[in-house]
Amino acid sequence: MDHFYAPGRNHLFVPGPVNIPEPVIRAMNRNNEDYRSPAIPALTKTLLEDVKKIFKTTTGTPFMIPTTGEAFINMVIAFIVCLSVCTIFRLTGTGAWESALTNTLSPGDRIVSFLIGQFSLLWIDQQQRLNFNVDVVESEWGQGANLDILASKLAADTARTIKAICIVHNETATGVTNNLAKVRRILDDYRHPALFLVDGVSSICALDFRMDEWGVDVALTGSQKALSLPTGMGIVCASPKALEASKTAKSVRVFFDWNDYLKFYKMGTFWPYTPSIQLLYGLRAALDLIFEEGLDNVIARHGRLGKATRLAVEAWGLKNCTQKEEWVSDTVTAVLVPPYIDSAEVVRRAWKRYNLSLGLGLNKVAGKVFRIGHLGNLNELQLLGCLAGVEMILKDVGYPVKLGSGVAAACAYLQNNIPLIPSRI
Ligand SMILES: Cc1ncc(COP(=O)(O)O)c(C=O)c1O
């Protein structure tokens, strides 16, 4: 018996894990199967081919890594004891990070890595613990990666000591999206051979992402974000240059070793160890839904959700944590609250009174922001429910909001911009 039961649907607006669509839930609701039977390699083959489309690559090699997930359970526990969600086990994206780093680099290698929020901080912590020589470029939380500093570091690096650039495309803690096309341009301007490693955990399948066009060498995501699956699968995609680098990379790796996968790819059996059968069928269903809607339509939908949320925040008279328009995120909005309000109280109230799950402020912005996740399998009317809830909560906690103001601003924009549903035209 679920003693947290509340009638109706929970309004899940944390920036991952996100809602799982019904067809995906149904596709996963099945018994285990022998993964060595012909059915699973046949299914895996289609997945490996189709998953490349979400990275917009034809030349990349994907790895679907079973990284067991407890993030959601921990999030609930952390919520109850009012801790920051990021302190305990982080797995799906975290495993994908480790896979990207250890397969392409050797201990002591110099990396330029951008610190702009909690997730870039955690990735940098992993890079340091894996004994890379990390050159951290820090920005104020709410700002994007400082690419002028990148340019000056590359210009100064005539000896080509920088082996990789690590960047989080969308910093989920602050709602900041970095300009990856610009990173590529800077690398090209200096003809610098550094590998370009990108965390696309809260961007891929929701924001514009072009692995081949932007010359990304390793891109990664996690199943529980825009793919709208349960936690548990990290997906990493390696360029030919990254695969080449993996032949000489000396970092110790076992579970994450691409080579083990490649051996099994060659044999046509695909799995060096037992995959989650349910997740594979779920991924098939999730990709089918994305392709039926059309990836570019999915990205456009996220554009509308992001814009509508930002218009609501403005109408409430509150500020977005993201400091400039060029960095705003269409998958998560971190809303700054006035100093006399504790943003954790907003999140607590949301859950206790309105059955709405919002994201806490993490680390440096704890207590200062609450986050509205608007990614994955979500539509505009669902978002309006969340925005209406936030207005009531803001009033509950003593902020003088005009009820309906944010919803009206969002509706005015959405009513003019929602297209017909692609599959129903
Ligand atoms: C941008 C980003 N990178 C990495 C992670 C870590 O992912 P996980 O918790 O699945 O290990 C997250 C989690 O929210 C994230 O938002």
Side-chain angles (χ1 to χ4, degrees), residues 137-156:
V137 180
E138 189 166 358
S139 301
E140 201 182 311
W141 289 30
Q143 295 186 357
N146 189 330
L147 300 185
D148 292 337
I149 295 190
L150 173 65
S152 57
K153 284 188 186 294
L154 294 181

Side-chain angles (χ1 to χ4, degrees), residues 150-158 160 162 165 186-187 190 192:
L150 173 65
S152 57
K153 284 188 186 294
L154 294 181
D157 186 32
T158 47
R160 301 300 190 232
I162 301 171
I165 309 298
I186 295 170
L187 279 162
Y190 294 96
H192 201 290

Side-chain angles (χ1 to χ4, degrees), residues 368-379:
K368 296 181 183 157
V369 308
F370 64 90
R371 294 174 300 150
I372 303 175
H374 31 82
L375 72 163
N377 192 268
L378 189 69
N379 64 37

Side-chain angles (χ1 to χ4, degrees), residues 156-172:
D157 186 32
T158 47
R160 301 300 190 232
T161 57
I162 301 171
K163 299 297 176 216
I165 309 298
C166 292
I167 189 163
V168 174
H169 187 194
N170 185 77
E171 173 51 76
T172 322

Side-chain angles (χ1 to χ4, degrees), residues 71 90-94 97 119 168 170 172 199 201-202 224-225:
R90 310 206 63 88
L91 296 154
T92 300
T94 309
W97 282 339
F119 294 99
V168 174
N170 185 77
T172 322
D199 168 332
V201 171
S202 58
Q224 78 277 23
K225 301 282 186 180

Side-chain angles (χ1 to χ4, degrees), residues 190-258:
Y190 294 96
R191 295 175 194 274
H192 201 290
L195 292 165
F196 184 12
L197 310 188
V198 176
D199 168 332
V201 171
S202 58
S203 71
I204 287 169
C205 248
L207 305 183
D208 186 21
F209 181 82
R210 310 176 194 188
M211 180 160 176
D212 284 358
E213 194 179 319
W214 296 340
V216 173
D217 290 301
V218 186
L220 57 96
T221 189
S223 51
Q224 78 277 23
K225 301 282 186 180
L227 273 165
S228 301
L229 285 163
T231 312
M233 183 193 283
I235 307 180
V236 179
C237 199
S239 73
K241 184 170 151 189
L243 280 188
E244 205 45 43
S246 75
K247 292 181 187 157
T248 49
K250 293 194 174 51
S251 294
V252 173
R253 52 199 188 268
V254 180
F255 182 67
F256 292 119
D257 198 336
W258 294 346

